[in-house]
């Protein structure tokens, strides 16, 4: 059996398995910590630095990124001290400097009382990407690893390899789905979905007739040895619910 | 992966898309991974470099001892700007942040060969020397 460790978050006690990340421990207590790059279904990456909290462990007090910081022993965590708020404010300000148009950042800035940037530093560009890498992780988990970071420093971008339309892309749009700022553009018109400079043909649900997935997506599912049903998730849920009712 | 890319860089003077594809295939890693690594390191170039790569140190010591002036002299002599390659593919001019030989500031390396305490008037000689080595 895994070891249980009792930790204190904002004065409340919770026992969690060793190795649990602070963010999940806080969630168990219903304490909310803001995040941008974190996604429940994806491995944490600690990119956005927004989820910082203050940790007191073995007599040391420090800031830690809660989505990555594992509980290894008794510790006390504070999620809303002045130091934490300061750290978050500066993170938000930095992100906002890069992506002044992102509504999620504008909302955060309002919530945390981040002073608007000096006009001289507001970049005139419509970059919405905060380089959190959610799309990269989503593509690694669900797609064909078609996205990656390129370059470094300020010039770091997220693009398909060689900056060409990605050959292995399934058109599943998972990257766009998980993007916190809506930086990845998907265009859907009739039975065509366009993403990353490629066009994909959409397949209709055999039950309700709605377009729901690309041909490539279904082929990938097929290649995984799972039986392919050309029924959209919505109809599948409904059918499943009906079946349960009957039995 | 980095070791492979470095070897290719040394031999081919750049990393082509085809090469990156082959490396990905050889190592059985996604192409996006290779592309990330290749674009991250300054030591790897995705565009063909000249036969002779001139690296001008612009670290603190070299900067203070006049590397910007030496750089200008190189640019004038070769007719190219920082980061560019001459049309005949002979020279590429780059600045680097420190070559680790600050006592010899300002430092220039050509294909790894170090020239120390370079002054503006040494620039034509260095280029001449490299050209002569080439014809030998």
């Amino acid at each position: 059996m895994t070891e249980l460790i009792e930790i204190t978050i904002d004065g409340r006690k919770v026992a969690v398995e060793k190795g649990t990340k602070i963010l999940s421990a806080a969630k168990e207590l219903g304490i909310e910590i803001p995040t941008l790059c974190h996604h429940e279904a994806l491995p944490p990456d600690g990119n956005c630095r927004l989820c910082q909290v203050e940790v007191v462990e073995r007599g040391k007090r420090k800031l830690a990124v809660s989505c990555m910081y594992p509980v290894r022993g008794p510790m006390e965590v504070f999620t809303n001290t002045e130091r934490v708020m300061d750290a978050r404010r500066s993170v938000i300000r930095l992100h906002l400097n890069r992506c002044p148009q992102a509504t999620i950042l504008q909302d955060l800035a309002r919530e945390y009382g981040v002073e608007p940037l000096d006009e001289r530093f507001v970049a005139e560009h419509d970059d919405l990407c905060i380089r959190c890498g959610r799309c990269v992780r989503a593509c690694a988990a669900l797609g064909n690893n078609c996205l990656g970071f390129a370059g470094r420093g300020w010039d770091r971008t997220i693009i398909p390899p060689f900056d060409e339309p990605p050959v292995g892309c399934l058109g599943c749009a998972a990257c766009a789905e998980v993007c916190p700022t809506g930086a990845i553009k998907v265009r859907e018109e009739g039975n065509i979905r366009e993403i990353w400079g490629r066009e994909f043909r959409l397949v209709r649900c055999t039950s309700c007739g709605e377009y729901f997935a690309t041909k490539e997506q279904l082929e990938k599912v097929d290649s995984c040895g799972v039986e392919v049903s050309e029924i959209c998730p919505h109809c599948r849920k409904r059918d499943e619910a009906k079946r349960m009712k009957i039995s | 992966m980095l070791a492979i890319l470095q070897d290719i860089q040394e031999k081919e003077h750049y990393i082509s898309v085809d090469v990156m594809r082959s490396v990905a295939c050889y190592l059985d890693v996604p192409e996006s991974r290779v592309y990330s690594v290749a674009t991250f390191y300054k030591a790897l170039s995705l565009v063909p470099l000249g036969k002779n790569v001139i690296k001008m140190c612009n670290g603190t010591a070299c900067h203070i001892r006049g590397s910007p002036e030496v750089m200008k002299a190189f640019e004038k002599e070769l007719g190219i700007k920082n980061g560019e390659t001459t049309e005949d593919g002979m020279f590429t001019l780059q600045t680097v942040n420190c070559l680790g030989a600050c006592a010899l500031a300002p430092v220039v390396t050509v294909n790894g060969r170090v020239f120390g305490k370079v002054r503006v008037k040494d620039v034509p000689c260095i280029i001449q020397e490299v050209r002569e080595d080439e014809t030998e």
Side-chain angles (χ1 to χ4, degrees):
Chain A
M1 208 189 113
T2 38
E3 201 182 328
L4 278 183
I5 296 169
E6 194 178 68
I7 62 166
T8 313
I9 305 179
D10 289 344
R12 291 162 64 193
K13 284 190 169 28
V14 63
V16 291
E17 276 179 20
K18 191 175 181 178
T20 308
K21 307 290 188 283
I22 293 176
L23 185 67
S24 344
K27 199 158 195 185
E28 271 183 42
L29 284 172
I31 294 169
E32 205 180 313
I33 297 171
T35 56
L36 282 170
C37 74
H38 182 77
H39 192 286
E40 289 275 275
L42 301 171
D45 213 14
N47 270 332
C48 75
R49 322 307 283 182
L50 185 64
C51 66
Q52 287 181 91
V53 293
E54 216 172 341
V55 175
V56 183
E57 194 182 22
R58 281 178 289 180
K60 278 187 192 150
R61 202 179 179 95
K62 61 188 174 189
L63 283 173
V65 175
S66 66
C67 68
M68 296 283 280
Y69 202 91
V71 174
R72 279 171 296 210
M75 55 162 75
E76 197 166 353
V77 179
F78 300 93
T79 70
N80 54 9
T81 60
E82 199 41 47
R83 193 174 168 202
V84 169
M85 291 300 150
D86 261 354
R88 284 188 197 155
R89 269 194 288 271
S90 80
V91 165
I92 295 165
R93 192 177 291 124
L94 287 169
H95 280 310
L96 206 55
N97 195 6
R98 160 138 250 162
C99 314
Q101 326 276 18
T103 42
I104 190 169
L105 294 175
Q106 291 165 355
D107 292 347
L108 278 166
R110 220 168 296 125
E111 188 187 332
Y112 280 83
V114 176
E115 291 164 39
L117 277 170
D118 190 311
E119 274 180 6
R120 290 172 299 170
F121 302 121
V122 177
E124 278 182 35
H125 50 67
D126 53 0
D127 192 354
L128 280 175
C129 175
I130 58 165
R131 277 74 171 160
C132 70
R134 263 201 202 182
C135 50
V136 177
R137 283 173 281 149
C139 197
L142 303 163
N144 272 342
N145 257 314
C146 294
L147 290 174
F149 286 101
R152 62 166 150 182
W154 179 260
D155 300 320
R156 201 177 194 213
T157 51
I158 292 177
I159 44 173
F162 325 122
D163 205 4
E164 290 167 3
V167 183
C169 179
L170 305 170
C172 68
C175 48
E177 177 70 30
V178 297
C179 179
T181 57
I184 299 171
K185 298 280 173 272
V186 196
R187 207 174 52 84
E188 262 176 44
E189 228 177 272
N191 65 338
I192 299 291
R193 176 187 287 167
E194 195 190 322
I195 185 165
W196 295 113
R198 275 190 62 187
E199 283 191 355
F200 295 90
R201 199 165 283 271
L202 292 167
V203 179
R204 277 184 199 275
C205 168
T206 47
S207 177
C208 68
E210 291 279 331
Y211 291 117
F212 77 106
T214 64
K215 226 174 82 223
E216 288 79 356
Q217 252 179 297
L218 297 181
E219 279 165 12
K220 163 107 179 178
V221 175
D222 192 35
S223 72
C224 295
V226 182
E227 199 190 324
V228 190
S229 61
E230 290 191 10
I231 297 172
C232 74
H234 191 75
C235 293
R236 218 175 310 155
K237 249 184 235 168
R238 192 200 53 208
D239 292 351
E240 194 65 30
K242 260 189 203 160
R243 215 181 11 254
M244 283 165 82
K245 214 169 158 189
I246 293 164
S247 63
Chain B
M1 185 200 300
L2 191 53
I4 293 175
L5 291 175
Q6 276 178 314
D7 283 354
I8 296 166
Q9 172 76 40
E10 202 171 315
K11 231 180 167 148
E12 307 281 323
H13 303 289
Y14 86 113
I15 315 271
S16 68
V17 169
D18 285 340
V19 160
M20 285 188 270
R21 288 215 165 97
S22 318
V23 171
C25 195
Y26 178 72
L27 293 173
D28 197 20
V29 295
E31 287 175 358
S32 55
R33 186 90 203 111
V34 180
Y35 188 64
S36 282
V37 174
T39 51
F40 184 87
Y41 292 100
K42 283 270 166 68
L44 305 174
S45 172
L46 299 195
V47 288
L49 293 183
K51 265 184 117 176
N52 306 290
V53 180
I54 302 173
K55 288 183 177 162
M56 176 80 234
C57 182
N58 199 21
T60 315
C62 292
H63 185 89
I64 287 175
R65 301 207 55 158
S67 71
E69 291 307 313
V70 179
M71 189 63 188
K72 267 185 214 154
F74 270 115
E75 288 180 342
K76 210 174 131 198
E77 190 69 26
L78 296 170
I80 50 169
K81 289 255 175 296
N82 177 18
E84 293 177 349
T85 303
T86 50
E87 249 168 47
D88 57 3
M90 279 291 277
F91 293 98
T92 295
L93 197 53
Q94 294 177 333
T95 53
V96 291
N97 282 331
C98 187
L99 288 165
C102 306
L104 296 175
V107 188
V108 174
T109 64
V110 183
N111 303 330
R113 187 175 157 202
V114 182
F115 295 85
K117 302 194 173 171
V118 178
R119 282 169 294 175
V120 171
K121 70 173 170 50
D122 300 333
V123 168
C125 309
I126 293 174
I127 289 170
Q128 192 57 39
E129 220 172 290
V130 176
R131 283 223 164 99
E132 273 164 19
D133 286 353
E134 201 61 45
T135 48
E136 262 169 31

